[in-house]
């Protein structure tokens, strides 16, 4: 099911089939769209899957600097090939974080406690999941960042929301990732751990993708936070 709302990002949604108690907002990577992870839902084999609404939003279309201005779906611009270490489109990240906060609020308006809302993201989507969740004013269930990094780690030190100081974080990465090097993902993990966040790290022999073992551990994490 695709939802269209003039005030919200368009998204692909898989509604709860029983009483709606939990919501998962899952953010895709650069150049993909909300359909990218739609097929993962049955693979997760979650204990209480019938009570979960899955929301897979489409990032806005925008030109990407490193791709010679080509337009594609993206949560923020990639300014240079050194993006992971240096130049960062902080304005774009903040704008997309606002869009994600609107989606969170929509779930709260539906009667779902913020503590039952989980943010998940892959690559750029993982950046947005971390950035948004750890600055959000109400406590969330958790955050999952896959093959991601955190270019706004430094500003988090002053912008962090106390409500999510104890929000569990799951980070996972491929050790042969040629798109987002495992070292920058691990640096984000180390930085968040140093800030006192309850965070776990998993790595796998894979490229910029997901693997079966990772999906199993994602499911375990979700089952844990949605007790």
């Amino acid at each position: 099911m695709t939802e269209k709302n003039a005030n919200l990002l368009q998204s692909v949604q898989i509604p709860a089939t029983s009483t709606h108690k939990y919501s998962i907002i899952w953010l895709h990577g650069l150049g993909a769209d909300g359909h990218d992870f739609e097929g993962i839902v049955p693979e997760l084999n979650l204990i209480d899957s019938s009570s979960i609404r899955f929301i897979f939003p489409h990032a806005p279309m925008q030109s990407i600097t490193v791709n010679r201005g080509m337009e594609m779906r993206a949560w923020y611009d990639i300014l240079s090939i050194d993006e992971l270490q240096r130049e960062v489109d902080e304005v774009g990240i903040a704008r997309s974080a606002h869009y994600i906060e609107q989606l969170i609020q929509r779930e709260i308006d539906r009667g779902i406690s913020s503590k039952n809302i989980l943010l998940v993201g892959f690559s750029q989507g993982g950046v947005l999941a971390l950035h948004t969740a750890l600055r959000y004013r109400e406590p969330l269930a958790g955050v999952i960042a896959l093959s991601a990094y955190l270019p706004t780690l430094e500003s988090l030190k002053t912008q962090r929301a106390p409500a999510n100081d104890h929000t569990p974080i799951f980070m996972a990465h491929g050790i042969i990732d040629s798109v987002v090097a495992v070292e920058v993902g691990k640096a984000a993990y180390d930085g968040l751990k140093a800030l006192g966040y309850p965070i776990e790290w998993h790595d796998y022999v894979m490229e910029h993708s997901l693997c079966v073992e990772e999906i199993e551990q994602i499911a375990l994490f979700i089952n844990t936070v949605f007790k």
Side-chain angles (χ1 to χ4, degrees):
M1 180 176 70
T2 299
E3 180 179 77
K4 295 183 179 181
N5 184 311
N7 298 315
L8 292 172
L9 293 174
Q10 292 185 13
S11 60
V12 176
Q13 299 207 21
I14 300 177
T17 55
S18 64
T19 302
H20 178 200
K21 295 189 294 186
Y22 309 103
S23 294
I24 294 178
I25 300 171
W26 198 306
L27 311 176
H28 63 77
L30 177 67
D33 63 23
H35 293 286
D36 201 36
F37 286 99
E38 186 180 4
I40 201 172
V41 174
E43 296 182 44
L44 291 168
N45 292 314
L46 297 174
I47 293 172
D48 205 6
S49 60
S50 66
S51 64
I52 302 172
R53 175 192 293 273
F54 286 85
I55 302 103
F56 300 95
H58 303 303
M61 294 290 291
Q62 63 177 294
S63 61
I64 301 300
T65 301
V66 295
N67 288 346
R68 300 180 181 179
M70 183 183 298
E71 284 204 350
M72 60 186 64
R73 292 198 181 277
W75 298 109
Y76 54 91
D77 192 12
I78 301 294
L79 302 172
S80 74
I81 57 173
D82 293 325
E83 162 82 7
L84 305 188
Q85 301 285 359
R86 300 176 186 174
E87 292 184 87
V88 179
D89 178 16
E90 294 197 35
V91 172
I93 292 173
R95 181 174 57 245
S96 285
H98 176 67
Y99 296 150
I100 305 311
E101 288 174 355
Q102 288 181 320
L103 293 177
I104 294 171
Q105 185 59 49
R106 194 261 311 274
E107 296 309 296
I108 292 173
D109 292 343
R110 284 173 165 160
I112 304 304
S113 166
S114 67
K115 294 179 181 179
N116 288 338
I117 301 173
L118 175 71
L119 294 190
V120 186
F122 176 80
S123 197
Q124 263 203 351
V127 172
L128 256 295
L130 289 168
H131 177 94
T132 306
L134 302 181
R135 290 167 173 77
Y136 195 67
R137 65 189 180 278
E138 297 179 49
L140 297 170
V143 56
I144 297 175
L146 310 171
S147 303
Y149 59 110
L150 189 55
T152 56
L153 178 63
E154 189 61 32
S155 62
L156 179 63
K157 295 175 183 178
T158 56
Q159 296 175 0
R160 64 190 294 174
N164 283 293
D165 278 349
H166 304 292
T167 297
I169 304 169
F170 177 105
M171 289 192 73
H173 218 107
I175 62 173
I176 54 172
D177 190 330
S178 59
V179 178
V180 178
V182 67
E183 290 81 7
V184 293
K186 191 61 161 55
Y189 162 79
D190 290 339
L192 291 171
K193 188 174 180 63
L195 290 176
Y197 288 103
I199 185 167
E200 55 187 84
W201 173 264
H202 303 266
D203 52 48
Y204 312 91
V205 182
M206 66 176 185
E207 270 278 0
H208 197 60
S209 60
L210 270 67
C211 65
V212 173
E213 183 185 359
E214 180 180 22
I215 292 170
E216 290 173 350
Q217 290 178 321
I218 290 169
L220 179 61
F221 180 84
I222 295 173
N223 285 332
T224 301
V225 298
F226 288 166
K227 296 185 182 71

